[in-house]
Amino acid sequence: MSIDTFPLVTVITVVYNNAKTLEQTILSVIAQSYKNVEYIIIDGGSTDGSVEIIQKYARFLSHWKSEPDQGLYFAMNKALKRASGAFIAIINSDDWYEPNALAQIVDAAIQFPETDVFHGLLRFIDLQQNEEMIRGHYDSFLSKGMIEHPTCFVKKTIYDRVGFFDTRYQSAADYDWMIRVKKSGAKFRLLPAVLSNFRRGGMSESLLGALEEVNIKRKHGYLSTTSYWYKKVYIFVLRIIRRRK
C-alpha cells in the first residue's frame, strides 16, 4: 500500500524467557489505533511460558517462530528478513508502546515523506515500575550515544541499503547500525511525543553494553585514542568493583 495513503508498518519483537512482561508488549502492539500492521515475534526457544503467551495471541501475528538462536541480534535479523512493511519498528519484550504511537508515525510519514527515520520521546521506568524520566535525542546525539531505539520507525529501504545488525556485538549492535544509517545520508526526524516505554535493567545498560558502545564510538571516529583508553580502563575498574560486591 502506498506510503501516501496507509502504509504497512512492520513491528518486530524478539524474546527469550521473558514471560513476565511479554504480554504487555504484545497487547501494546495489537491494541494500536493504527491497524495496518505486520507483527512478527521471534522467540529464542523460551522455556518459561513465553511461547504459550505468543500462542495465545497468534491470530494477531503475521509470523512467529520459537527456536534456539545465537542471541538478540541474530533474532532481530531473522525477523528483518521476513519484514515487508514500508516502515519497520522493533519493540523488545521489556517495553511497550503508547496507544497512538503508530498512528503518529504514519501521520508524520505522510507529512514528511523525505524522512527515513522517525523517532520520539521515551519514558524510562525503573524496576519498581516508577517513571524516572522522559528523554529524546536528535540524530546529532549519535556521536554521544544511541537515540531511543524503542521509538524508532525506519523505512525498509534503509535496511535494504545499509543492511542488518552486526552480530559480532551482543548488546550495542543497534547503536552501530544507527550510526551506519546516519553516515549513509539518511534523514532523521524527532517527534516531540512519548511513543514508547522502556524498563531499565536490560542488557543495553550492562557493563558489556557500555564496553561495546565505547568500541563502536572508537570505530566510527567519535573518540580520541586517549578518551577511548580512559573509558575502557574505567569500565574495567567497574567490573572489578562489581565482582567484589
Side-chain angles (χ1 to χ4, degrees):
M1 192 173 290
S2 170
I3 196 169
D4 296 320
T5 53
F6 299 101
L8 178 66
V9 178
T10 299
V11 177
I12 292 169
T13 295
V14 299
V15 57
Y16 178 66
N17 284 342
N18 205 12
K20 183 178 179 180
T21 59
L22 173 61
E23 189 165 29
Q24 183 178 22
T25 304
I26 293 174
L27 289 172
S28 80
V29 177
I30 65 178
Q32 286 293 306
S33 59
Y34 186 79
K35 298 302 182 184
N36 194 19
V37 179
E38 174 186 67
Y39 192 16
I40 298 172
I41 298 181
I42 301 296
D43 176 80
S46 294
T47 57
D48 70 336
S50 293
V51 174
E52 287 73 15
I53 292 172
I54 296 170
Q55 291 172 329
K56 178 180 176 181
Y57 297 101
R59 67 186 184 279
F60 298 104
L61 306 179
S62 301
H63 174 76
W64 74 274
K65 195 171 190 65
S66 178
E67 62 183 9
D69 55 44
Q70 295 172 272
L72 177 68
Y73 296 108
F74 283 91
M76 287 183 183
N77 286 348
K78 189 186 303 182
L80 287 167
K81 290 175 183 177
R82 298 193 64 97
S84 58
F87 280 87
I88 300 174
I90 298 173
I91 186 82
N92 288 333
S93 60
D94 282 323
D95 312 325
W96 69 99
Y97 284 129
E98 290 293 294
N100 296 316
L102 272 64
Q104 292 182 76
I105 291 297
V106 171
D107 286 345
I110 293 171
Q111 186 177 359
F112 304 103
E114 75 285 355
T115 300
D116 299 302
V117 180
F118 291 94
H119 57 113
L121 305 182
L122 182 66
R123 181 183 291 110
F124 285 73
I125 308 295
D126 67 19
L127 296 179
Q128 286 71 47
Q129 301 300 304
N130 300 312
E131 179 181 322
E132 287 189 341
M133 71 179 86
I134 294 175
R135 190 171 73 187
H137 285 161
Y138 289 94
D139 63 292
S140 60
F141 279 72
L142 281 171
S143 61
K144 298 181 180 179
M146 178 63 178
I147 60 177
E148 279 62 49
H149 199 189
T151 74
C152 289
F153 291 76
V154 182
K155 281 182 178 176
K156 185 178 185 298
T157 53
I158 296 298
Y159 283 98
D160 294 338
R161 185 168 82 207
V162 176
F164 295 164
F165 297 109
D166 186 341
T167 54
R168 290 175 295 180
Y169 299 110
Q170 298 179 50
S171 177
D174 51 344
Y175 180 41
D176 171 72
W177 184 85
M178 199 63 74
I179 293 174
R180 285 158 46 203
V181 171
K182 181 183 178 183
K183 288 185 172 182
S184 77
K187 296 182 179 180
F188 289 69
R189 182 172 294 274
L190 172 67
L191 302 184
V194 176
L195 301 180
S196 307
N197 303 276
F198 174 84
R199 283 189 179 87
R200 283 194 175 277
M203 185 182 295
S204 63
E205 295 191 318
S206 67
L207 289 180
L208 172 62
L211 180 60
E212 287 190 354
E213 183 173 316
V214 167
N215 289 334
I216 289 167
K217 286 180 179 178
R218 179 60 175 162
K219 168 187 171 183
H220 290 285
Y222 291 150
L223 282 179
S224 66
T225 300
T226 301
S227 296
Y228 171 70
W229 285 109
Y230 173 83
K231 290 179 180 295
K232 288 200 75 167
V233 170
Y234 177 74
I235 293 169
F236 177 74
V237 171
L238 283 180
R239 274 183 170 177
I240 294 174
I241 293 173
R242 288 190 181 183
R243 286 173 181 172
R244 290 181 176 177
K245 285 184 178 180

